[in-house]
């Protein structure tokens, strides 16, 4: 009988330990949720396995040309998020150009001219959005598609600068994702035609 009581006592201790750990984790999760909510964090954007919290620092990402990029927008509570999303010009990397003989600013005071969502094929759904643009896409090509006609650039644009921002807004919260382009490598040519090890 004492062996049976000892085994039951050990099982009871293990179950008690598990319940205490679950209770502590639940309390910590609740505190974290309310702390984030008090700072306006009610949702997050997820892309390529990375999570970007609302009202956080945002993020810098690289988007490959010729691919469709899927982003998820999720609530901290698991419900749907009523959000707006745009792709806009980044004011930190502003430049000037000439279109149809008129000088233009890449990022100006006209919000419609700063909005490049259509150029990047932005598609929004209830739980996320996607961007798609052709292979070899560049900042220059995006500007040409937006403004139409012949565009002359005053300076050479740098491929490592984030000229565009994905801006996700819900209520008073926002997530900004700055991005650069990365062209896909479609083939590899070796010269000389043999490799010596």
């Amino acid at each position: 009988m004492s062996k049976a009581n000892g085994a039951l006592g050990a099982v009871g201790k293990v179950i008690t330990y598990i319940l205490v750990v679950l209770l502590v984790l639940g309390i910590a999760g609740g505190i974290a949720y309310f702390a984030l909510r008090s700072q306006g964090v009610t949702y997050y954007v997820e892309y390529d396995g990375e999570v970007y919290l609302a009202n956080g620092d945002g993020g810098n990402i690289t988007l490959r040309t010729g691919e469709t990029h899927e982003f998820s927008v999720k609530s901290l509570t698991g419900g749907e998020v009523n959000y707006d999303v745009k792709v806009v010009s980044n004011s930190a990397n502003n430049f000037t150009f000439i279109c149809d003989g008129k000088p233009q600013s890449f990022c100006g005071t006209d919000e419609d001219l700063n909005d490049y969502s259509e150029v990047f094929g932005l598609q929004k759904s209830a739980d996320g959005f996607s961007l798609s643009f052709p292979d070899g896409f560049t900042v220059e090509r995006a500007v040409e598609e937006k403004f139409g006609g012949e565009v002359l650039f005053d300076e050479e644009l740098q491929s490592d600068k984030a000229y565009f921002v994905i801006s996700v807004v819900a209520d008073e919260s926002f997530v900004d994702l700055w991005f650069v382009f990365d062209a896909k490598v479609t083939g590899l040519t070796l010269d000389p035609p043999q490799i010596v090890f």
Side-chain angles (χ1 to χ4, degrees), residues 3 41 55 108 127 136 151 163 172 188:
K3 284 187 178 184
V41 179
N55 291 346
D127 60 348
V151 177
Y163 289 100
E172 302 294 319
L188 185 61

Side-chain angles (χ1 to χ4, degrees), residues 173-186:
S173 301
F174 64 92
V175 174
D176 286 336
L177 300 172
W178 297 268
F179 66 92
V180 295
F181 300 113
D182 182 28
K184 266 197 302 194
V185 176
T186 56

Side-chain angles (χ1 to χ4, degrees), residues 144-171:
E144 288 168 356
E145 282 190 30
K146 172 74 176 175
F147 287 88
E150 187 177 342
V151 177
L152 300 172
F153 296 92
D154 295 339
E155 60 189 78
E156 186 175 332
L157 303 182
Q158 299 173 21
S159 61
D160 62 340
K161 280 191 175 181
Y163 289 100
F164 297 100
V165 181
I166 302 167
S167 182
V168 182
V169 179
D171 297 323

Side-chain angles (χ1 to χ4, degrees), residues 5-19:
N5 285 340
L8 285 176
V11 169
K13 287 180 183 180
V14 169
I15 291 174
T16 302
Y17 177 74
I18 290 172
L19 289 174

